[in-house]
Amino acid sequence: EDEEDAVKPTPQRMFAYKWSEGYISPFRATPEIVIQQVMEILKPTKEDVLIDCGCGDGRVLIYVAKRFGISCIGIDLDESLLEQARQSSKVENVSDLISFKREDLLTSDLLVGSIIFLYLLPTALEKFKSRLELLLSQKKRIVSINWPINGWERYALPSTSNDSFFIYVQQ
């Protein structure tokens, strides 16, 4: 499976998941090239805090912590993925910059973040939209991988990545 195929999930992969356990989206790793493209646009500084909502194995957090030295918070429901992420952050020597929380995204405190990173299905984005609107009004930068947030066209930054990600800012 090449990088581009890894970015675009198929319905068969995405819809057979742990919905009964409270999950709003399945784990799907963000390819490093996409993380790199997003960060080239955002240009994080030491004052930023990135929150990865549904952090999975922690690869976004580890990439950002290693390259930009910023504080990161990973939130996920899957304890086995969180443990994998914790271990990877130790191996990569960035565990001092990253904290992991086993929490529900719909109730987590996200206000401390200046960059909110999402790789959620459209239905999950819709469930999460009112919380995201509050964050956007607080001048947070919101990144959505693969799917746009409906009705937010006016907040979207132009991207050159063939729509593999969308960045939203209050302008």
Side-chain angles (χ1 to χ4, degrees):
E1 191 173 293
D2 66 21
E3 282 275 315
E4 195 166 312
D5 287 340
V7 176
K8 297 291 183 189
T10 65
Q12 294 84 356
R13 288 190 207 130
M14 300 300 281
F15 295 107
Y17 206 64
K18 307 176 189 178
W19 309 120
S20 63
E21 297 173 37
Y23 291 72
I24 60 172
S25 272
F27 168 68
R28 186 75 178 151
T30 304
E32 188 171 308
I33 187 69
V34 174
I35 302 168
Q36 182 182 0
Q37 290 170 340
V38 167
M39 294 308 143
E40 283 173 7
I41 293 170
L42 291 178
K43 298 179 182 13
T45 67
K46 299 269 189 209
E47 291 76 42
D48 282 312
V49 174
L50 183 135
I51 298 179
D52 187 352
C53 298
C55 67
D57 63 6
R59 70 182 61 206
V60 171
L61 304 165
I62 292 166
Y63 180 95
V64 172
K66 279 183 80 166
R67 281 159 187 83
F68 300 97
I70 69 170
S71 295
C72 299
I73 300 168
I75 300 171
D76 209 299
L77 281 176
D78 191 321
E79 188 57 47
S80 64
L81 284 172
L82 286 170
E83 187 52 37
Q84 182 182 341
R86 286 184 194 101
Q87 291 305 316
S88 295
S89 73
K90 288 176 186 167
V91 168
E92 296 294 334
N93 295 313
V94 291
S95 60
D96 59 322
L97 292 171
I98 305 172
S99 63
F100 296 97
K101 299 178 179 184
R102 185 173 190 272
E103 293 181 354
D104 185 334
L105 296 179
L106 300 175
T107 58
S108 296
D109 178 12
L110 305 176
L111 289 174
V112 68
S114 55
I115 300 170
I116 310 299
F117 195 93
L118 310 162
Y119 191 167
L120 303 175
L121 293 173
T123 53
L125 289 170
E126 201 57 39
K127 283 183 186 179
F128 206 33
K129 193 171 177 181
S130 63
R131 297 209 60 221
L132 294 173
E133 287 169 346
L134 172 65
L135 295 169
L136 194 64
S137 74
Q138 302 279 321
K139 305 292 187 202
K140 311 300 182 183
R141 294 173 284 169
I142 299 173
V143 178
S144 179
I145 302 301
N146 274 345
W147 291 284
I149 299 173
N150 288 333
W152 280 27
E153 294 79 10
R154 69 187 177 280
Y155 303 121
L157 293 181
S159 85
T160 57
S161 64
N162 301 322
D163 295 328
S164 61
F165 63 85
F166 303 86
I167 299 174
Y168 301 96
V169 295
Q170 182 86 31
Q171 301 182 9

